[in-house]
Structures are given as C-alpha cells and as structure tokens.
Amino acid sequence: MLVVWGGVWAHRRAGVPQPTQDADASVRAGSCAMAPMVEMVGKVTRSRYDELVAESVDMVEEDTRCQFGLGDAALELEPLRGHGGHLPLEEGDQGVAESLRLFAEEIGLSFFTVRTQRWVAVQWPVEHRQAGVSWEVHRILASVPDRFGLIRNPPLSERTGRRRWSAEVAKKVVGWKTEEVQVPVTAQERVEAICELTRDDEAVAAQVATDFLRRPEVAFRAMRDAEARENVNEAQFEQAGLDDDEFDEEYEEYEEAFAEEGEPFEDPARIVHSWRKSMESTDLIAVCQGFIAGAARLVPKLRGHEFTDAQTKVLENHLERIRATADWIETAAATGQVDLDEQLAQLLRGQ
C-alpha cells in the first residue's frame, strides 16, 4: 500500500507495524545519550593534544641538538681553557670575544647567546648529555657540581605527578626563583612577596604603607588590628613632637636673620601653625562636648533598666578607660606632655 507519511510517500506492508514519530524521537534521544563525551584540552580534543605534545617533544629534542651543536662549534672555534660554575667573559684574551662576536654575526645570533651555548657545551660533555631532556634544563643545571648524576634522576613533578625534567622543576632544584614564585597567586603569597621586597628597605616599606593607607578601605581594615593602631597612634605623637621641634628651629633661624637687618619678622608659617594648633584644640573640645551630649541624651533613657552582670562589667571597663583618657587630656593641656605611659596605653587598648 502506498501512503503519505510525514509529507513523504512511502510503502506500507500489510500487517507490519510502522514506527511512530514518538518512537523515532526516543531512538534519536537514546543515540545522543550513548554518544561519548569528547575530552577537550584548550581548544583541541585530547587526541589532538597528544599529537601536538608528541610533535613538540620531537622539536624540543631537535632544538637541544641544535643548541649543543652551536655550542660545540663555538667551542671548537675558541676552546674554553677553564672550568667553573659561572660564566666568565673569557680567559683574559680579547681575541676570544672578537672571534665569538664575528661567529655570532655570521650565523645571525647575538654574542651573548653564542657565549652561553659555548659555556653550556663545555659543562656538558657529549657522554653526559641526557637524551629527552631539553637544552634549557641542561643550562639551568650546568652550575651544579653533581649535575651528571642529578640529571639522570629527575624529581617528581608536583604538577604532572611524573618524574620528568622541566625548566620549572630544575629551577626549584637549584634554588632559583620560579615563575610561580615571581607571580604570586594566593593572598598569602602576595603578602609574602610584598614583605620580601620591602624587608631591608625602610624607605620603600614606608612609601608602600603610606600609599596603602591613602585608600580609605585599606586604612579602615588596617586600624582594626590593635597593634597596628597602637603603632600609628604612637607614631603620631612622636611626629607631632618632631614637627614642633623642627618648626621652632626654622622659626628661630628666620627670626635671627631678620633681627640682624633690623626688620620685624612675622612668619606666615607660624600664623598657619598656630591656626593648626588652635583647630586641633577645637577638635578635642568638640570630642569632649560630643561625649557629654551623647551621655546627656542616653543616660535618662536608662530609667528602670536593669543591667546584666556582663553589661555592667563592659560598662565599668569603658568608664575606667574614659576616666584615664580624661586624665591624659588634662595632663596634656596642663603640661604639654602627650606621651602615653605603658599602663595607660594598655588600658586604652583594653588590656
């Protein structure tokens, strides 16, 4: 029988059931579900990645042969008359450098590249060069005294889990800084990198700290550290004393100079300085007034309120610190001495 099925003419045999559209959909869905997932590495499939690795390994081996070949050629041109762990210019013979420069120019490389290839070649005699290990690894290990035995026993790579030499592994073995160390990733690594860079240079450390503290969020979080906050407070007191001393010395110099010429001297800087001191005094008075106003507003609201033992203890601790602070302010205003003794400092820190 000839029928129309889904817009297409087809033959139907009598007594033979025909698949429905739903059945076809189920078959297609089952086929998709059974299709294996293709593993990708980067933008290529795993199989293509393996091919690229194999091809690249061959190219690296060829490059190693070429690098050693160039070094051997330079070594034949100018034999190295000494051995050592470092890379000397030459053995006091300027003609050696001239020959290598001419050779490098003829083959299109830099003098320093040729000189390094020559040095690596002499550190690795042919019988000790390790097949399957790149020239770069040979270069990194060239200064190691036991390099001949070391290169035959590669350490376990943390990245791949295999015993295979790579430039990063070789650098770690000889104690060089690797790219992983130079480019810190975690927060702790970044902190350690900054500390290492500023460890022996107080001027750089101070500049870095100053730049960071200009960022409000950084300053806020830094001041949550009790020790940092205490150091900043003490530094402020010491700096204020130094500023006053330096200012007085400068003022006296100007005053003496004008006195010799018989002219009155009124230094604008002293006027500004006095304004600044007056503003600081006003700010301190405002802080006291703010505290008084806050207390006058809140205390009456406590009528009938019963404090718990914990609340009473906390309040007593704060009141003790307030009294100590008030004594400190009174002493500073009366004597000009703003230094904190250790006991008062511990009290203000809540210790």
Side-chain angles (χ1 to χ4, degrees), residues 281-323:
S281 301
T282 302
D283 289 341
L284 182 58
I285 293 172
V287 169
C288 295
Q289 290 176 338
F291 170 75
I292 295 171
R297 177 174 57 85
L298 293 174
V299 172
K301 296 180 180 180
L302 297 176
R303 186 185 303 275
H305 178 76
E306 294 183 1
F307 285 87
T308 64
D309 292 340
Q311 290 175 334
T312 301
K313 186 175 181 179
V314 171
L315 183 59
E316 289 175 349
N317 290 336
H318 283 294
L319 289 174
E320 185 180 5
R321 295 167 68 183
I322 290 172
R323 294 188 188 98

Side-chain angles (χ1 to χ4, degrees), residues 144-341:
V144 179
D146 58 343
R147 57 187 176 277
F148 300 149
L150 178 63
I151 200 169
R152 291 194 293 270
N153 298 283
L156 183 66
S157 171
E158 297 177 0
R159 186 182 300 276
T160 63
R162 295 181 296 175
R163 293 190 175 278
R164 184 178 181 88
W165 282 111
S166 69
E168 290 297 308
V169 172
K171 288 177 181 178
K172 289 182 179 180
V173 168
V174 299
W176 291 9
K177 287 189 174 182
T178 66
E179 294 179 359
E180 294 177 356
V181 175
Q182 293 174 346
V183 185
V185 177
T186 66
Q188 183 61 32
E189 289 174 347
R190 293 174 181 175
V191 170
E192 291 174 355
I194 294 173
C195 292
E196 181 64 27
L197 290 173
T198 59
R199 185 180 306 281
D200 299 323
D201 197 326
E202 295 296 333
V204 173
Q207 185 61 52
V208 170
T210 302
D211 292 342
F212 285 162
L213 290 175
R214 289 195 180 105
R215 295 157 60 177
E217 180 63 25
V218 173
F220 176 79
R221 298 184 65 178
M223 291 304 100
R224 294 175 65 182
D225 183 278
E227 184 177 358
R229 186 169 59 250
E230 178 189 352
N231 290 338
V232 170
N233 289 337
E234 292 181 357
Q236 285 179 320
F237 297 145
E238 294 175 2
Q239 189 64 45
L242 291 175
D243 289 344
D244 290 341
D245 294 341
E246 292 173 358
F247 177 82
D248 291 338
E249 292 174 1
E250 292 179 1
Y251 177 79
E252 290 173 0
E253 292 176 0
Y254 283 114
E255 192 173 31
E256 291 174 359
F258 274 78
E260 292 176 357
E261 299 179 3
E263 298 181 6
F265 175 70
E266 291 190 13
D267 186 7
R270 175 169 286 279
I271 299 174
V272 174
H273 185 68
S274 63
W275 286 350
R276 180 171 68 85
K277 289 296 183 183
S278 178
M279 292 176 62
E280 291 171 351
S281 301
T282 302
D283 289 341
L284 182 58
I285 293 172
V287 169
C288 295
Q289 290 176 338
F291 170 75
I292 295 171
R297 177 174 57 85
L298 293 174
V299 172
K301 296 180 180 180
L302 297 176
R303 186 185 303 275
H305 178 76
E306 294 183 1
F307 285 87
T308 64
D309 292 340
Q311 290 175 334
T312 301
K313 186 175 181 179
V314 171
L315 183 59
E316 289 175 349
N317 290 336
H318 283 294
L319 289 174
E320 185 180 5
R321 295 167 68 183
I322 290 172
R323 294 188 188 98
T325 303
D327 292 341
W328 178 34
I329 294 173
E330 185 177 6
T331 301
T335 65
Q337 298 295 324
V338 297
D339 296 335
L340 282 170
D341 59 39

Side-chain angles (χ1 to χ4, degrees), residues 18-207:
Q18 299 298 320
T20 63
Q21 290 184 349
D22 290 342
D24 291 341
S26 300
V27 172
R28 288 194 298 271
S31 299
C32 293
M34 291 184 293
M37 294 293 291
V38 178
E39 183 182 358
M40 302 293 292
V41 179
K43 303 298 182 182
V44 300
T45 63
R46 181 70 193 193
S47 60
R48 177 55 182 160
Y49 171 79
D50 293 337
E51 293 175 358
L52 292 174
V53 169
E55 294 171 1
S56 299
V57 167
D58 291 340
M59 288 187 285
V60 169
E61 291 180 354
E62 182 62 28
D63 176 72
T64 300
R65 287 191 291 271
C66 291
Q67 297 264 29
F68 272 122
L70 291 169
D72 291 338
L75 194 59
E76 182 179 351
L77 175 66
E78 289 289 352
L80 194 65
R81 291 184 295 277
H83 299 280
H86 301 285
L87 189 59
L89 177 60
E90 298 307 330
E91 298 75 35
D93 187 353
Q94 293 300 320
V96 174
E98 293 177 2
S99 299
L100 293 179
R101 288 184 187 278
L102 177 62
F103 178 66
E105 184 176 354
E106 292 286 353
I107 64 177
L109 297 176
S110 73
F111 162 73
F112 299 101
T113 299
V114 170
R115 189 183 68 172
T116 300
Q117 291 168 335
R118 171 174 173 262
W119 178 76
V120 174
V122 79
Q123 302 303 320
W124 291 98
V126 176
E127 64 272 17
H128 292 293
R129 297 171 188 175
Q130 190 70 16
V133 178
S134 69
W135 183 86
E136 178 69 5
V137 171
H138 283 85
R139 181 187 70 83
I140 296 171
L141 299 179
S143 299
V144 179
D146 58 343
R147 57 187 176 277
F148 300 149
L150 178 63
I151 200 169
R152 291 194 293 270
N153 298 283
L156 183 66
S157 171
E158 297 177 0
R159 186 182 300 276
T160 63
R162 295 181 296 175
R163 293 190 175 278
R164 184 178 181 88
W165 282 111
S166 69
E168 290 297 308
V169 172
K171 288 177 181 178
K172 289 182 179 180
V173 168
V174 299
W176 291 9
K177 287 189 174 182
T178 66
E179 294 179 359
E180 294 177 356
V181 175
Q182 293 174 346
V183 185
V185 177
T186 66
Q188 183 61 32
E189 289 174 347
R190 293 174 181 175
V191 170
E192 291 174 355
I194 294 173
C195 292
E196 181 64 27
L197 290 173
T198 59
R199 185 180 306 281
D200 299 323
D201 197 326
E202 295 296 333
V204 173
Q207 185 61 52

